[in-house]
Amino acid sequence: MTNKPLPITGGEARAALDNAVAQVRLNLPLYTETCQNHSSVDGIYPPCPNEEWTCGFWPGEIWLAYEHTGDRAFRDAGLVLAASFDRRIREKIVVDHHDMGFLYTPACVAAYKLTGDRAARDAAVLAADQLLTRFQPKGQFLQAWGPMGEPGNYRFIIDCLLNLPLLYWASAETGDGKYADIANRHTAVCLANSFRPDGSTYHTFYMNPDGSPGSGRTCQGYRDDSFWARGQAWGVYGSILSWRYTKSPAALDAFRKALDFYLTRLPGDLVPCWDMLFQPDSGEPRDSSSAAIVACGLLEAVRVLPRREAGGYETLAREMVGSLARDYAPARPVPGAGLIAHGTYSKKSPYNTCTQEGVDEFTSWGDYFYMEALTRLCADWDPYW
Ligand code: GLY
C-alpha cells in the first residue's frame, strides 16, 4: 500500500494549470477546424468530425485556458468550435441521444458565459430542446441511447446527471420552466434506481414498458453487479450538482453514500482501477478520469454545502489532484497529447456489452475535468455546469 498523496499546494496547482494550458496551446492548431477524438491512440488524439458524444470536452479545455490566461487565441479557437456545434445542432448531426449536456455545456454555455456570443447561446437552447425529445413519460426518464421506445434501449444511465445542468441553464436563460421540470423528474427516478443501497451505482437502468422500475445492467463496467469507476464518479459529481439545483435531500444522501463507497475502494494513490471490483495488483488498468471527476464533485460540494459538512472535502480533492498532477500528468507537452495519462474509456469483459476503446490512454473528459479541478483550486470559478 503506497502512502496517501500529499494535498496539492496552491503553488503546485498553479504550476499544473500552467502546464495544462501549455499542452492545450500546443494542440490548438491540431483541433480547431476538427474536433479531438474521445481518447488517444498510443498517447496521441486522432482528430475527428464533430459527431462524437465527447466533442464538447476539448472546447471546454480551451475555455478554461481562456479564463486562466485571457489570451484571445483561446477565445478565437473556442468560437470557431462553438460555430461547429451550432451547425451540428441545426443540422441534427448525431444528436439522437442524451449527451446534449456533455456536448453543449462546455462548448456553448461556456462560450456564451465568457463572451456573450448569441449564436452559442441559441445553439445551447436548441440542444436543450433536443434533450427534451429523449423524455419517456412512462417511467419519467431521459432515454440514453437508441431509437425512442425500443425495448432494448428503454433505459437511462447514471452519466446523464451531467447532462441535466444544460436543462437548468435553459430554464434560467429562457424563463421557461419546462426544461427544469423534466430535469427534476429524471433526477428523482435516477436517484431512486441508479444508486444501490450500499452507495455503489448501476451504469444503466432499464424501466419496464409500464413505467415501473426494471433492473440495473452494465455496459462499460466489468459486470452488472460490479462497480464501474466512472459511473461511480458521475454519480458523485452528478448528485452534488443535482443537490445544487433541486435541494432534494435524496440528492445529498446519494452524494454522501456514493462518495463513501468510492473512498472505500480506492487504492493508495487515490486513482481507481477502471472497475472498482479490482485493485492495482490485479493488473487491470486505472481510470484517471474518474479521479478528476470525483475531485470536481468534492470541490463543488465545498462551494455549495455548509463548511461543517464540506470541511474534509477540499483536502481530499487536493490529495486526488496532487496524485494526478505528480504521477499522471506528462512532464512536458507533446503535440496531440493530453493532460492525464492512464484513463480507460471502455474495456471489454466477458460480461459487458461495450466495444473496447481507449484503454490506458488519455481521455478527453479526463483532461477536461482535471483542468476544471485545477481551475477550481486556483480561482473562484463560476461553473459551466
Ligand atoms: N458517458 C460515457 C462514459 O463515461 O464513458
Side-chain angles (χ1 to χ4, degrees), residues 13-19 21 62-71 74 371 374-375 378-379 384:
R14 278 188 296 281
L17 186 52
D18 287 344
N19 288 346
V21 167
I62 293 175
W63 290 118
L64 292 172
Y66 177 56
E67 289 204 64
H68 185 56
T69 61
D71 186 335
F74 293 119
M371 229 175 140
L374 290 171
T375 303
C378 293
Y384 304 155

Coordinates of all heavy atoms in Angstrom, one line a residue, residues 13-19 21 62-71 74 371 374-375 378-379 384:
A13 N -0.7 23.7 -7.7 CA -1.9 23.7 -8.6 C -1.7 24.8 -9.7 O -2.1 24.5 -10.9 CB -3.1 24.0 -7.8
R14 N -1.2 25.9 -9.4 CA -1.0 27.0 -10.5 C 0.0 26.5 -11.5 O -0.2 26.6 -12.7 CB -0.5 28.3 -9.8 CG -1.7 29.1 -9.3 CD -1.3 30.5 -8.9 NE -0.3 30.5 -7.7 CZ -0.7 30.3 -6.5 NH1 -1.9 30.1 -6.1 NH2 0.3 30.3 -5.5
A15 N 1.1 25.8 -11.0 CA 2.1 25.3 -12.0 C 1.4 24.2 -12.9 O 1.7 24.1 -14.1 CB 3.3 24.8 -11.2
A16 N 0.6 23.3 -12.2 CA 0.0 22.3 -13.0 C -1.0 22.8 -14.0 O -1.1 22.3 -15.2 CB -0.7 21.3 -12.1
L17 N -1.7 23.9 -13.6 CA -2.6 24.5 -14.6 C -1.9 25.2 -15.7 O -2.3 25.1 -16.9 CB -3.6 25.5 -13.8 CG -4.7 26.1 -14.7 CD1 -5.5 25.1 -15.4 CD2 -5.6 27.0 -13.7
D18 N -0.7 25.8 -15.4 CA 0.1 26.4 -16.4 C 0.6 25.3 -17.4 O 0.5 25.5 -18.6 CB 1.3 27.1 -15.8 CG 1.0 28.4 -15.1 OD1 -0.1 29.0 -15.3 OD2 1.9 28.9 -14.3
N19 N 1.0 24.2 -16.9 CA 1.4 23.1 -17.8 C 0.2 22.6 -18.7 O 0.4 22.3 -19.9 CB 1.9 21.9 -17.0 CG 3.2 22.2 -16.3 OD1 3.9 23.1 -16.7 ND2 3.6 21.4 -15.3
V21 N -2.3 24.3 -19.6 CA -2.6 25.4 -20.6 C -1.6 25.3 -21.8 O -1.9 25.5 -22.9 CB -2.6 26.8 -20.0 CG1 -2.6 27.9 -21.0 CG2 -3.9 26.9 -19.1
I62 N -10.4 24.6 -23.8 CA -10.0 25.9 -24.4 C -10.6 27.0 -23.6 O -9.9 28.0 -23.3 CB -10.4 25.9 -25.9 CG1 -9.6 24.9 -26.7 CG2 -10.2 27.3 -26.5 CD1 -10.1 24.8 -28.2
W63 N -11.9 26.9 -23.2 CA -12.5 28.0 -22.4 C -11.8 28.1 -21.1 O -11.6 29.2 -20.6 CB -14.0 27.8 -22.3 CG -14.7 28.0 -23.6 CD1 -15.4 27.1 -24.4 CD2 -14.6 29.2 -24.4 NE1 -15.8 27.7 -25.5 CE2 -15.3 29.0 -25.6 CE3 -14.0 30.5 -24.2 CZ2 -15.5 30.0 -26.6 CZ3 -14.2 31.5 -25.2 CH2 -14.9 31.2 -26.4
L64 N -11.4 27.0 -20.5 CA -10.7 27.1 -19.2 C -9.4 27.8 -19.4 O -8.9 28.6 -18.5 CB -10.5 25.7 -18.5 CG -11.8 25.0 -18.1 CD1 -11.5 23.6 -17.7 CD2 -12.4 25.8 -16.9
A65 N -8.7 27.4 -20.5 CA -7.4 28.1 -20.8 C -7.6 29.6 -21.0 O -6.8 30.4 -20.6 CB -6.8 27.4 -22.0
Y66 N -8.7 30.0 -21.7 CA -9.0 31.4 -21.9 C -9.2 32.1 -20.5 O -8.7 33.2 -20.3 CB -10.2 31.5 -22.8 CG -10.7 32.9 -23.0 CD1 -9.8 33.9 -23.5 CD2 -12.0 33.3 -22.7 CE1 -10.2 35.2 -23.7 CE2 -12.4 34.6 -22.9 CZ -11.5 35.6 -23.4 OH -11.9 36.9 -23.5
E67 N -10.0 31.4 -19.6 CA -10.2 32.0 -18.3 C -8.9 32.2 -17.6 O -8.8 33.2 -16.8 CB -11.2 31.1 -17.5 CG -12.6 31.1 -18.0 CD -13.6 30.8 -16.9 OE1 -13.7 31.5 -15.9 OE2 -14.2 29.7 -17.0
H68 N -8.0 31.3 -17.7 CA -6.7 31.3 -16.9 C -5.8 32.4 -17.5 O -5.1 33.0 -16.7 CB -6.1 30.0 -16.9 CG -4.8 29.9 -16.1 ND1 -4.8 30.2 -14.7 CD2 -3.6 29.5 -16.4 CE1 -3.6 30.0 -14.2 NE2 -2.8 29.6 -15.2
T69 N -5.8 32.6 -18.8 CA -4.8 33.5 -19.4 C -5.4 34.8 -20.0 O -4.6 35.7 -20.2 CB -4.1 32.7 -20.6 OG1 -5.2 32.4 -21.6 CG2 -3.5 31.4 -20.1
G70 N -6.7 34.8 -20.3 CA -7.2 36.0 -21.1 C -6.7 36.1 -22.5 O -6.9 37.1 -23.2
D71 N -6.0 35.1 -23.0 CA -5.4 35.1 -24.3 C -6.4 34.9 -25.4 O -7.2 33.9 -25.4 CB -4.3 34.0 -24.4 CG -3.5 34.0 -25.7 OD1 -4.0 34.6 -26.7 OD2 -2.4 33.5 -25.6
F74 N -7.2 31.7 -27.5 CA -8.1 30.6 -27.0 C -9.5 31.0 -27.3 O -10.4 30.2 -27.7 CB -7.9 30.4 -25.5 CG -6.6 29.8 -25.1 CD1 -5.7 30.5 -24.3 CD2 -6.2 28.6 -25.6 CE1 -4.4 29.9 -24.0 CE2 -5.0 28.0 -25.3 CZ -4.1 28.7 -24.5
M371 N -8.5 19.7 -15.6 CA -8.3 21.2 -15.8 C -9.4 21.9 -15.0 O -9.1 23.0 -14.4 CB -8.4 21.5 -17.3 CG -7.3 22.4 -17.7 SD -7.4 22.7 -19.5 CE -6.9 24.4 -19.5
L374 N -8.3 21.8 -11.3 CA -7.2 22.8 -11.1 C -7.7 24.2 -11.1 O -7.3 25.1 -10.3 CB -6.1 22.6 -12.2 CG -5.3 21.4 -12.1 CD1 -4.4 21.2 -13.3 CD2 -4.4 21.3 -10.8
T375 N -8.6 24.5 -12.0 CA -9.2 25.9 -12.1 C -10.0 26.2 -10.8 O -9.9 27.3 -10.2 CB -10.1 26.0 -13.3 OG1 -9.4 25.7 -14.5 CG2 -10.7 27.4 -13.4
C378 N -7.6 27.1 -8.2 CA -6.8 28.3 -8.4 C -7.6 29.6 -8.4 O -7.0 30.7 -8.4 CB -6.0 28.2 -9.7 SG -4.7 27.0 -9.7
A379 N -8.9 29.5 -8.6 CA -9.7 30.7 -8.8 C -11.1 30.5 -8.2 O -11.5 29.3 -7.9 CB -9.9 31.0 -10.3
Y384 N -19.5 26.0 -15.4 CA -20.2 25.9 -16.6 C -21.5 25.1 -16.4 O -22.5 25.3 -17.1 CB -19.4 25.3 -17.7 CG -18.0 26.0 -18.0 CD1 -17.0 25.3 -18.6 CD2 -17.8 27.3 -17.7 CE1 -15.8 25.8 -18.8 CE2 -16.6 27.9 -18.0 CZ -15.6 27.2 -18.5 OH -14.4 27.8 -18.8

